[in-house]
């Protein structure tokens, strides 16, 4: 009975909306847009059209690049926070999540100010004596990746920090007592034991990045599409709700598969640690 509110919340705000969108995918687009309630599977077949498959792959590539960069930046940051004195760790975590105190759109617009040809970045390079053409970073794929990494970096830092902070320091001491140096201890003990946190943060960033449509629209300038923009356009521009629903369901299927694999990997790693402990 105690779980009833949570179950009702999930049914009302997760399951029912998804089922509603899924049902749209089995109907046809109306003559003037909207939905014509004639059963068809063409929308799902249309998802596998090479044109849209290319957008899916391009979105996956950008999301994967974002994920790798976020992990490479977040791991040293989380490691440094976990090794700081206990009394300072809350303050350092506060600074790590401080960007979340502002609106997502404001954070993204801030990068437009930073990256445009007359922006702060080019102004700083000019201040340092750079005499060449101003860098044209805005409205490029690089700008989109920078925006995604910046916006989702705190999630990865928190995920990795949670595993690092729970790590038994006696394991590192044992490694050093057995003759391993600091680098070997990190590669053979610390990193393997914190991989569940890396996987959790990575999957989180990948899932959020591949479906994002705000950052590609603002920092990409509409020059290329990600799957999130495609779904947005089908619902609000092309008025083709059934095909938009089919694209959305394909995106949800990818996300669910990734979360399932991450949960299995975490469960497997936990099982191995328990086995080693016993």
């Amino acid at each position: 009975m105690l779980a009833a509110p949570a179950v009702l919340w999930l049914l009302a705000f997760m399951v029912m909306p998804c089922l509603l969108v899924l049902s749209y995918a089995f109907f046809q687009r109306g003559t003037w847009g909207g939905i014509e309630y004639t059963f068809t599977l063409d929308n799902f077949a249309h998802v596998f059209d090479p044109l849209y498959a290319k957008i899916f792959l391009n979105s996956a590539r950008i999301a994967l690049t974002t994920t790798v960069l976020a992990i490479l930046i977040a791991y040293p940051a989380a490691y440094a926070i976990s090794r700081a004195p206990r009394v300072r760790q809350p303050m350092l975590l506060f600074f790590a999540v401080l960007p979340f105190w502002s609106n997502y759109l404001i954070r993204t617009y801030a990068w437009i100010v930073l990256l445009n040809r007359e922006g702060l970045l080019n102004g700083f390079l000019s201040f340092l004596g750079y005499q060449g053409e101003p860098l044209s970073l805005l409205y490029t794929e690089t700008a989109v990746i920078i925006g995604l990494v910046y916006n989702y970096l705190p999630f990865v830092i928190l995920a990795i920090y949670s595993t690092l902070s729970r790590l038994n320091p006696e394991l590192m001491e044992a490694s050093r007592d057995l003759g391993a140096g600091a680098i070997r201890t990190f590669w053979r003990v610390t990193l393997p034991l914190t991989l569940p946190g890396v996987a959790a943060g990575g999957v989180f960033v990948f899932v959020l990045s591949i479906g994002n449509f705000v950052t590609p629209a603002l920092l990409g300038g509409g020059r290329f599409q990600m799957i999130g923009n495609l779904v947005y356009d089908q619902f609000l521009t092309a008025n083709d709700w059934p095909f938009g629903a089919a694209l959305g369901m394909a995106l949800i299927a990818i996300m669910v598969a990734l979360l399932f694999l991450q949960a299995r990997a975490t469960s497997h790693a936990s099982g191995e640690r328990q086995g080693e402990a016993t």
Side-chain angles (χ1 to χ4, degrees), residues 157-256:
I157 292 177
L158 292 176
I160 297 175
Y161 170 80
S162 67
T163 55
L164 282 167
S165 62
R166 294 197 304 267
L167 205 58
N168 188 350
E170 294 179 354
L171 294 174
M172 277 78 81
E173 292 177 9
S175 176
R176 287 193 290 270
D177 290 343
L178 292 172
I183 296 177
R184 191 173 184 183
T185 298
F186 174 80
W187 284 107
R188 300 294 296 273
V189 179
T190 306
L191 184 59
L193 291 175
T194 54
L195 283 180
V198 175
V203 169
F204 206 70
V205 172
F206 186 89
V207 166
L208 291 176
S209 297
I210 196 172
N212 191 293
F213 64 93
V214 174
T215 301
L218 294 180
L219 298 183
R223 294 185 177 182
F224 59 93
Q225 277 195 321
M226 290 180 66
I227 188 62
N229 303 97
L230 186 59
V231 174
Y232 176 90
D233 289 342
Q234 294 304 316
F235 275 99
L236 300 181
T237 303
N239 207 17
D240 191 348
W241 288 25
F243 183 49
L247 288 170
M249 286 297 106
L251 188 59
I252 290 175
I254 294 172
M255 295 177 178
V256 170

Side-chain angles (χ1 to χ4, degrees), residues 113-137:
V113 176
L114 289 168
L115 297 178
N116 70 60
R117 290 173 66 86
E118 291 78 30
L120 295 178
L121 179 60
N122 280 311
F124 181 68
L125 291 176
S126 178
F127 173 77
L128 294 178
Y130 177 72
Q131 300 294 329
E133 281 290 315
L135 299 179
S136 298
L137 291 174

Side-chain angles (χ1 to χ4, degrees), residues 56-134:
F56 265 104
L57 293 175
N58 188 53
S59 302
R61 180 178 55 79
I62 292 174
L64 183 62
T65 305
T66 300
T67 303
V68 172
L69 290 176
I71 290 173
L72 291 177
I73 297 171
Y75 200 102
Y79 188 86
I81 294 173
S82 68
R83 291 296 176 268
R86 287 282 181 185
V87 293
R88 295 182 184 176
Q89 291 184 16
M91 182 185 67
L92 295 173
L93 287 173
F94 167 77
F95 284 120
V97 301
L98 189 60
F100 283 168
W101 287 37
S102 61
N103 184 273
Y104 185 95
L105 282 176
I106 293 174
R107 299 198 303 270
T108 305
Y109 273 116
W111 279 103
I112 295 178
V113 176
L114 289 168
L115 297 178
N116 70 60
R117 290 173 66 86
E118 291 78 30
L120 295 178
L121 179 60
N122 280 311
F124 181 68
L125 291 176
S126 178
F127 173 77
L128 294 178
Y130 177 72
Q131 300 294 329
E133 281 290 315

